Amino acid sequence: MVTRRNLGPQPRLGYVASPIDRAVGCRGDDAALKKYSEHAQAGAYVIGGELVALKPGGPSCEPLFSPAQARALGAVREVAFLGLLGDAPRFGFGFDPDAIEQLKARDDLKITDLRSIAVQGMVAAEHLPPLAEAKALLGWHARHRFCPHCGAPTKLTQGGWRRDCPSCGAEHFPRTDPVVIMLVISGERCVLGRSRRFVPTMWSCLAGFAEPGETIEEAVRREVLEEAGIVCGRVSYFASQPWPFPSSIMIGCHAEALSDTLVVDREELEDARWFDRDELVSMLNRRHPQGLTAPPPVAIAHHIIRSFVEIGSDVFR
Ligand SMILES: [Zn+2]
């Protein structure tokens, strides 16, 4: 019999539940795209590399610019059609990172990175999914201006959802890289690790890129064995999250440990250890006696850990 805990209302996961209709059928319709770009309610997210331009003011910042305002900020490298919010077209305007960096001098703008925007709640939550969509897509364009087959310059088409090579005829589609992120569980305990990149108090799920020719389950078992030396059996899918850093999807899982001796890969991790469910409660609530914390609710790791705290090994049901 598993003890269940109720931690209260579920906090909101970041970058998911987009209110935007991607209107895929319009992507090849140049006349419709032109009409949308001239629409009175058209709005553009302005992004360059890791940086996003916001208009400060009010309790939260405004991330939408009119297309004319966005063009006035500098040289636009790519424009991508994100879709429709009701009747209002939404676009991503891509700038060179240097061009966005220069806008930091302006006091009528706030220029910052998307992680900070999400964690600190700088914009209304409904803007996070289209910002993630725009950042991942525009980042892909910035890295694919030349054809990987023949090296010729490629051309943006389909409203920003394809790049064509006029030299060899290849069509290139935006890609998303799968990352497995998992909580390794044994009875009432689970494994959390620390990367050197983390703030000093934070512990989180193990994670790594799925490799070509691997299933999600195989990627989970391989990454856990590599990073923590634990052999895993059952793997159950929990949920997923777009992760536009630069263009991943996080595939959240729980994995059942079949061994319990940790062998930590110190190249990958600063440390890893077992935590029991009671200790995790204090980390999620930010009341841990040593000040240890779990990732914030904007990240799927928070929710993967929280589900284990709430329902224990029933995560495998
Ligand atoms: Zn080519």
Side-chain angles (χ1 to χ4, degrees), residues 146-154 164-172:
F146 295 89
C147 177
H149 295 172
C150 75
T154 53
D164 291 353
C165 176
S167 178
C168 76
E171 297 175 347
H172 303 287

Side-chain angles (χ1 to χ4, degrees), residues 21 71 79 87 100 106 124 136 141 143 163 182 199 217 265 311:
D21 167 5
R71 288 187 192 284
V79 173
D87 292 332
I100 292 273
R106 285 178 51 164
H141 281 290
R143 297 187 300 277
R163 291 189 79 92
M182 51 275 168
V199 293
E217 293 84 350
D265 176 356
I311 66 171

Side-chain angles (χ1 to χ4, degrees), residues 23-288:
V24 174
C26 298
R27 290 175 185 170
D29 185 343
D30 289 339
L33 292 176
K34 183 168 184 295
K35 200 177 77 190
Y36 286 149
S37 70
E38 293 162 356
H39 194 282
Q41 292 179 66
Y45 296 100
V46 171
I47 297 175
E50 294 304 306
L51 297 175
V52 179
L54 305 174
K55 297 176 195 164
S60 53
C61 296
E62 173 56 56
L64 281 173
F65 294 77
S66 73
Q69 286 171 336
R71 288 187 192 284
L73 295 176
V76 179
R77 288 299 301 260
E78 279 100 12
V79 173
F81 174 61
L82 304 178
L84 299 169
L85 181 69
D87 292 332
R90 293 288 178 259
F91 293 90
F93 274 44
F95 287 68
D96 282 335
D98 289 353
I100 292 273
E101 190 74 36
Q102 284 174 16
L103 296 175
K104 284 183 174 175
R106 285 178 51 164
D107 52 16
D108 60 334
L109 296 173
K110 183 170 180 65
I111 309 296
T112 189
D113 66 285
L114 183 54
R115 283 175 211 263
S116 302
I117 291 170
V119 172
Q120 295 171 36
M122 288 184 205
V123 300
E126 65 264 25
H127 288 300
L128 289 181
L131 277 168
E133 179 186 350
K135 181 178 181 296
L137 184 56
L138 293 167
W140 175 80
H141 281 290
R143 297 187 300 277
H144 291 80
R145 291 181 181 135
F146 295 89
C147 177
H149 295 172
C150 75
T154 53
K155 192 169 170 295
L156 180 152
T157 57
Q158 295 288 313
W161 291 91
R162 203 173 84 198
R163 291 189 79 92
D164 291 353
C165 176
S167 178
C168 76
E171 297 175 347
H172 303 287
F173 294 87
R175 51 175 298 165
T176 299
D177 298 318
V179 173
V180 289
I181 177 163
M182 51 275 168
L183 189 66
V184 179
I185 292 167
S186 175
E188 288 291 295
R189 302 189 303 162
C190 70
V191 174
L192 297 182
R194 268 193 52 70
S195 157
R196 283 173 191 82
R197 293 177 289 107
F198 289 178
V199 293
T201 55
M202 194 174 86
W203 293 72
S204 186
C205 298
L206 306 181
F209 284 101
E211 293 188 343
E214 229 175 11
T215 63
I216 290 168
E217 293 84 350
E218 287 165 346
V220 166
R221 294 188 192 106
R222 175 185 52 74
E223 280 288 338
V224 172
L225 189 61
E226 279 176 16
E227 294 192 355
I230 300 285
V231 177
C232 287
R234 275 189 298 181
V235 173
S236 79
Y237 171 77
F238 172 67
S240 65
Q241 178 184 31
W243 195 248
F245 308 102
S247 55
S248 289
I249 179 163
M250 306 298 275
I251 303 165
C253 296
H254 294 98
E256 184 180 46
L258 299 179
S259 65
D260 62 4
T261 305
L262 285 162
V263 183
V264 180
D265 176 356
R266 302 282 171 184
E267 296 278 308
E268 289 285 326
L269 295 175
E270 184 180 86
D271 203 2
R273 72 164 173 88
W274 290 97
F275 290 76
D276 65 30
R277 283 169 75 200
D278 291 331
E279 187 170 14
L280 296 174
V281 173
S282 66
M283 291 165 74
L284 290 171
N285 290 341
R286 305 206 162 230
R287 294 201 182 115
H288 190 279

